[in-house]
Amino acid sequence: MIVRLAAYMLVLIVGGTLLSGCSSEIERPSLEDMAFIGVIGFDYINEKDVKVSVSTPVPSRSKEKTQVYSTVATVMSEAMLKMSTKAERTMSLSQLRVILFNEEYARKVGIRKVVLDLYRNPSVGENAFVAIVKGNTEDLIRASYQNKPELNTYLNDLLRPRVETAFSSFTSIQDSVYMMTNEVSDMNLPYLVKEDDDIQITKVALFKDDKMIGSVSQREGALIQALLGRKRVPRMSFEFQEQSGKGSKTEQVVLDFVWSKSKVRSNGSLDHPMISMKLELRGMLVGYTGSKDLKSNKQLTQLKKQLESEIKKETQKLVQRLQKEGVDPASLEESLRQKYHGKWTRPIAMELYQKAGFNVTINMEVVGYGTIK
């Protein structure tokens, strides 16, 4: 009995020694040994393969640095495996902040598969931003940006919601999944262009299902955001032809919108649907070149009417164009769904949307004009 006990203890001691000897091989890496991917980009190769590029910040006491890795793969897991063999540190998606697609990939393949793969990955957070890039994402990720923060920080800050760039939906990966699966609207994403040492959000990419079909300007994007109910929309400039005894000259108005409210309703008709949109806007005049005396209530009211008329005309033209293209980034179909009886589907929504009429009402209030005379 004593011999058996001694043998058992000897096995435990030897086993413990062997395990302790192997522990250094299987222990988790420290933070210094991790390569946290901050930006990931997808470029079109063909219908099957995609080029994946990632950016990882490198800890440094002097200046922030970035390492970039690229590979061609068919699925996300394969791309991660290939890039992991190139890196001297362990790659992780737990700090992913920005997901980029080049325009060709978004148009030809669509972003659904990649977005859903990343969304289902438990290490990827819900708030990673999604955007479209003109040209290749690899070129944008590998480029050097003078007097800018490290790329991961730069892009993350650029895509965060701000009033100045509120003409675009700043879409997280969670928002993208919702937009691709809901039954009343289409997705829109920021469109990035690299210009010299800067990256600029130049316009808004429009999607049908998960494929990019076109774009709208910053101004049109601002009107879409107003229809969606955004409280603050970006500053806008307006020009009118002012008639006088000496001929006509351009009257320019710059408005800083401080508040907006949208109300979209439909008449509930299946045969002749009508969508009514009412936009209430409050703006501060921050720039004016013209002959009107803005201290005169009569002339200020006249200017207000001009602004209402112009915004109405632009909004009406925009929604009619979107209707013709069969895309609804402003979620106007929601007003149709609210009065529909029966099972609602996207084909029903699009059928009603494409034969609907539009009635736009603008209520503009100028709340001040600063130091403008």
Side-chain angles (χ1 to χ4, degrees), residues 263-331:
K263 184 180 290 186
V264 181
R265 297 287 185 269
S266 71
N267 60 1
S269 172
L270 299 181
D271 298 322
H272 304 286
M274 175 65 70
I275 300 176
S276 299
M277 293 158 276
K278 182 178 180 181
L279 275 181
E280 297 182 39
L281 301 165
R282 294 176 189 166
M284 177 82 72
L285 267 173
V286 293
Y288 178 75
T289 58
S291 61
K292 286 187 177 67
D293 180 5
L294 298 182
K295 293 182 180 180
S296 166
N297 289 333
K298 182 179 179 180
Q299 295 197 39
L300 188 60
T301 299
Q302 182 184 351
L303 179 62
K304 181 177 80 81
K305 295 297 182 184
Q306 286 177 285
L307 291 168
E308 289 176 343
S309 176
E310 180 62 25
I311 296 172
K312 176 178 178 177
K313 182 175 71 174
E314 291 186 27
T315 305
Q316 189 91 26
K317 182 178 178 181
L318 173 62
V319 294
Q320 287 173 347
R321 173 194 153 193
L322 296 174
Q323 182 190 45
K324 185 177 180 180
E325 294 177 356
V327 62
D328 180 21
S331 194

Side-chain angles (χ1 to χ4, degrees), residues 19-274:
L19 288 174
S20 64
C22 297
S23 63
S24 61
E25 298 294 330
I26 61 174
E27 67 181 4
R28 293 185 177 182
S30 63
L31 288 176
E32 291 76 12
D33 299 324
M34 298 293 293
F36 292 108
I37 296 172
V39 178
I40 187 167
F42 298 89
D43 291 318
Y44 180 81
I45 299 293
N46 53 51
E47 294 296 323
K48 181 181 177 182
D49 300 319
V50 59
K51 188 167 191 179
V52 183
S53 303
V54 300
S55 168
T56 65
V58 180
S60 175
R61 291 184 179 181
S62 56
K63 184 181 179 181
E64 292 179 305
K65 298 180 180 179
T66 301
Q67 284 183 328
V68 179
Y69 302 93
S70 297
T71 191
V72 175
T74 56
V75 293
M76 185 66 202
S77 56
E78 180 190 2
M80 288 296 295
L81 181 62
K82 286 184 175 181
M83 288 186 291
S84 295
T85 61
K86 299 179 181 181
E88 74 279 9
R89 296 177 293 155
T90 303
M91 283 194 171
S92 171
L93 288 166
S94 62
Q95 295 299 312
L96 182 62
R97 292 293 177 265
V98 178
I99 304 165
L100 303 174
F101 295 91
N102 85 318
E103 182 176 349
E104 188 177 12
Y105 186 88
R107 285 183 180 272
K108 293 182 177 180
V109 179
I111 69 173
R112 180 188 297 272
K113 186 178 184 300
V114 170
V115 167
L116 289 180
D117 282 349
L118 289 171
Y119 186 68
R120 292 174 183 138
N121 189 323
S123 64
V124 177
E126 297 178 343
N127 296 321
F129 293 112
V130 184
I132 304 300
V133 172
K134 180 180 180 181
N136 290 328
T137 64
E138 183 184 13
D139 294 340
L140 183 142
I141 291 173
R142 288 188 181 277
S144 176
Y145 301 96
Q146 300 297 324
N147 303 317
K148 294 291 191 299
E150 179 268 331
L151 178 68
N152 301 275
T153 303
Y154 177 33
L155 280 177
N156 185 50
D157 290 345
L158 180 68
L159 291 171
R160 287 192 174 278
R162 292 173 290 131
V163 174
E164 294 80 7
T165 53
F167 51 81
S168 173
S169 293
F170 290 92
T171 311
S172 68
I173 187 171
Q174 185 179 34
D175 298 328
S176 298
V177 172
Y178 169 76
M179 288 180 177
M180 285 189 293
T181 56
N182 81 71
E183 301 287 350
V184 293
S185 66
D186 292 299
M187 180 166 53
N188 66 93
L189 296 175
Y191 187 93
L192 305 182
V193 175
K194 180 186 177 301
E195 296 181 348
D196 298 325
D197 292 334
D198 295 309
I199 302 173
Q200 184 180 357
I201 306 174
T202 59
K203 53 186 178 180
V204 182
L206 295 180
F207 281 74
K208 184 68 177 176
D209 192 17
D210 71 325
K211 289 186 177 181
M212 181 178 169
I213 64 164
S215 62
V216 294
S217 66
Q218 295 181 6
R219 190 182 187 89
E220 291 171 323
L223 292 175
I224 289 173
Q225 293 303 311
L227 290 172
L228 284 168
R230 188 184 285 270
K231 296 298 182 185
R232 291 287 304 274
V233 291
R235 180 178 295 185
M236 287 188 189
S237 175
F238 300 86
E239 288 187 358
F240 306 107
Q241 289 302 312
E242 194 176 34
Q243 301 295 328
S244 66
K246 299 180 181 179
S248 66
K249 70 174 187 176
T250 301
E251 180 182 32
Q252 186 174 30
V253 181
V254 181
L255 267 178
D256 191 358
F257 292 101
V258 297
W259 180 85
S260 70
K261 182 180 179 181
S262 170
K263 184 180 290 186
V264 181
R265 297 287 185 269
S266 71
N267 60 1
S269 172
L270 299 181
D271 298 322
H272 304 286
M274 175 65 70

